[in-house]
Amino acid sequence: MAREQVHPDSAGDSAGARPAPGGIVVGVDGSDHSHCALVWAAREAQRRGRPLHIVTAYSVPVFAASGLDGGYATVDDSVIREGAEAILKQALDKVARYSIDVDASVENGDASGVLLELSESAELLVFGTRGRGGFVGRLLGSVSSALPAHAKCPTVTVPLVCGDRLGETTDDKHVRAEREKAGNQPVENVVVVGVDGSDQARVAVLEAAAQAERLSAPLRLVCAVPQYSGSLAWVPAPMDREALFADIRVQLDAGVAWLKSHFPRLEVQTELVDGSPVDILVDASRHVELVVVGTRGRGGFAGMLLGSTSDGILHHAKGPVMVVPDREDPRLADRPSFGPMLGS
């Protein structure tokens, strides 16, 4: 059973600042979307043997009066805080069956800012795609890129449509329509990661490989080549494109050899496909455990993720998506010794 520590209001902690939470951090707001994220995060904390930190955040709204003698009025802070504490209690009850250490807190501040600060010490940051508006509901609205683009740790977005995988139910009509459209396609125990030959993508591959090992799942490296996009616009004839695919295949094989040197027991698959990276990854998310991408790349694939295509993947994915931030990794140093590298 979960072992709990609750910190109702960090802003009022007169004893000094608490240690920053590590392990898995999940944002909740009481919505069905955040419940899916909460269950996914609890399962992940149990897989990793790491503590789970549940957080909800609120800001006290300020209203401008319209009368001649008007000024500014604020809502009673205690009422909002009590509602936030009730959300935490509900979340703690939901994860009580998991064998994990659980810590929970109410934070005063903007939701995205609170989570970004927590990402500095967290191992993983988890949140839903939408919510009630006061917390996670804003995360993929006007600040849709804030968390994946700027978080210091990997982030996982868990859409409501995959709630049935997690034993969660919902009355959302859009989710019901999507499930009817998809049918009863089983979920493969596979982790898919997008690659484009950049070091940023290789960092994502290393994180995806570690996750695949935790799930006892194969890792599938997917390289998608758009028809005519960016640097590929110069390709004049089908024969040139065939040569390009052959060259990429050689380099993918070299990348697999490098990855296996660090994860010798991992089953690694490769998939070189013709088409839009976003469409291919969104489709894959319907029937695999996790899709993993990097924050930046060369423009042909991961480099587009936090531009116009980030919304495409994060808003339309049908399963959990992990975004891995760009960071240094000493294992990248020996990649050239295994053969040709994409883009080199």
Side-chain angles (χ1 to χ4, degrees), residues 9 39 46 53 96 107-108 128 150 177 183 222 224 253 258 316 327:
D9 190 354
V39 172
Q46 188 164 273
H53 180 77
E107 303 292 339
N108 193 335
H150 301 295
V222 175
D253 290 344
W258 164 72
H316 299 292
R327 56 190 177 188

Side-chain angles (χ1 to χ4, degrees), residues 25-29 34 37-38 53 55-56 115 125-128 135-136:
V25 172
V26 58
V28 299
D29 70 347
S34 72
L38 175 63
H53 180 77
V55 60
T56 193
L115 288 183
L125 187 61
V126 183
F127 46 88
F135 186 64
V136 187

Side-chain angles (χ1 to χ4, degrees), residues 279-320:
D279 291 345
I280 289 160
L281 282 187
V282 167
D283 184 62
S285 71
R286 298 176 188 272
H287 52 83
V288 300
E289 285 292 342
L290 183 69
V291 169
V292 182
V293 293
T295 52
R296 295 186 294 117
R298 296 190 179 277
F301 191 79
M304 300 171 64
L305 291 180
L306 295 183
S308 61
T309 63
S310 61
D311 289 343
I313 293 176
L314 293 176
H315 281 270
H316 299 292
K318 311 306 178 186

Side-chain angles (χ1 to χ4, degrees), residues 137-328:
R138 299 181 56 193
L139 294 184
L140 290 184
S142 60
V143 292
S144 61
S145 296
L147 291 179
H150 301 295
K152 303 302 183 183
C153 67
T155 63
V156 173
T157 306
V158 184
L160 182 59
V161 72
C162 71
D164 54 345
R165 307 185 191 183
L166 303 167
E168 293 296 299
T169 59
T170 179
D171 294 326
D172 189 289
K173 63 181 181 180
H174 300 295
V175 171
R176 292 201 307 269
E178 173 59 34
R179 288 175 180 169
E180 291 173 3
K181 177 182 176 182
N184 295 319
Q185 188 174 16
V187 176
E188 296 180 83
N189 187 33
V190 173
V191 175
V192 166
V193 59
V195 298
D196 74 342
S198 65
D199 277 348
Q200 292 85 359
R202 292 186 188 101
V203 169
V205 166
L206 291 168
E207 186 69 35
Q211 188 67 19
E213 284 198 335
R214 293 185 195 104
L215 291 167
S216 299
L219 177 66
R220 185 175 301 157
L221 279 60
V222 175
C223 183
V225 183
Q227 278 293 329
Y228 295 100
S229 175
S231 62
L232 297 179
W234 56 265
V235 178
M239 185 60 67
D240 293 324
R241 194 167 178 82
E242 291 174 10
L244 174 66
F245 269 63
D247 185 50
I248 292 175
R249 171 59 64 189
V250 170
Q251 296 172 70
L252 275 175
D253 290 344
V256 170
W258 164 72
L259 184 62
K260 292 282 286 183
S261 73
H262 295 287
F263 295 88
R265 295 185 300 275
L266 182 65
E267 179 185 344
V268 182
Q269 307 167 356
T270 60
E271 190 173 311
L272 178 57
V273 290
D274 201 337
S276 161
V278 176
D279 291 345
I280 289 160
L281 282 187
V282 167
D283 184 62
S285 71
R286 298 176 188 272
H287 52 83
V288 300
E289 285 292 342
L290 183 69
V291 169
V292 182
V293 293
T295 52
R296 295 186 294 117
R298 296 190 179 277
F301 191 79
M304 300 171 64
L305 291 180
L306 295 183
S308 61
T309 63
S310 61
D311 289 343
I313 293 176
L314 293 176
H315 281 270
H316 299 292
K318 311 306 178 186
V321 175
M322 176 185 288
V323 178
V324 181
D326 183 18
R327 56 190 177 188
E328 298 293 329

